[in-house]
Amino acid sequence: MSEPDPSETLFERIIAREIPADIVEETTTTLAFRDISPQAATHVLVVPKTRYRDVGELAAADPALLADVIATAHRVADLDGLVESGYRVVFNTGADAGQTVFHVHAHVLGGEQLGFFGRYQEKPDEG
Ligand code: AMP
């Protein structure tokens, strides 16, 4: 097996099937897989197959691809039966928002009553 390219993000390696993920949906332009550390009953990440650093870069460069990401997020919510009960789509963008992987991704959260969000609080498993 060839050495991993250090400029590649984790998500490019998941898209390339170089590392495993629990994939729930794939389109020609997007991939959706379950978050390895779920923060809700449903916690799925949706990524465009083309890499942009964050949602602002994606929106500026390719708005149609951003629409594809949102459409896949809605499809994932539908597959998990969340459309009636409701769900949340989050794009963490930059340091204060806690973005850790710099390949834009939508978090799709739902399947239970979600908490409020905004100001910093420790994750339950860290406290
Ligand atoms: P963010 O903090 O918004 O950049 O989100 C990155 C997300 O990627 C976090 O919620 C992590 O739990 C998730 N994550 C990290 N590694 C993996 C992986 N191998 N498979 C699935 N999700 C992952």
Side-chain angles (χ1 to χ4, degrees):
M1 214 163 86
S2 59
E3 288 294 309
D5 173 352
S7 69
E8 263 191 352
T9 67
L10 174 67
F11 293 166
E12 285 161 289
R13 300 192 66 207
I14 288 175
I15 292 163
R17 308 299 204 270
E18 290 169 4
I19 56 175
D22 184 358
I23 293 169
V24 293
E25 179 70 342
E26 181 168 20
T27 68
T28 54
T29 58
T30 66
L31 188 72
F33 49 93
R34 295 200 187 275
D35 196 292
I36 205 165
S37 177
Q39 302 300 312
T42 287
H43 187 176
V44 172
L45 303 175
V46 181
V47 299
K49 290 181 178 175
T50 303
R51 179 182 173 188
Y52 294 96
R53 180 181 170 83
D54 59 40
V55 70
E57 262 195 19
L58 171 58
D62 194 342
L65 183 56
L66 174 56
D68 289 351
V69 170
I70 299 294
T72 298
H74 184 75
R75 170 81 182 136
V76 164
D78 197 18
L79 288 171
D80 269 19
L82 308 182
V83 170
E84 271 206 18
S85 53
Y87 65 95
R88 183 176 292 160
V89 178
V90 174
F91 290 92
N92 290 328
T93 307
D96 271 2
Q99 185 178 4
T100 58
V101 180
F102 292 91
H103 179 134
V104 57
H105 49 282
H107 295 256
V108 182
L109 298 152
E112 61 184 297
Q113 180 67 56
L114 299 174
F116 293 110
F117 65 102
R119 192 152 285 138
Y120 179 78
Q121 58 183 22
E122 290 186 350
K123 289 178 185 168
D125 56 342
E126 290 175 348

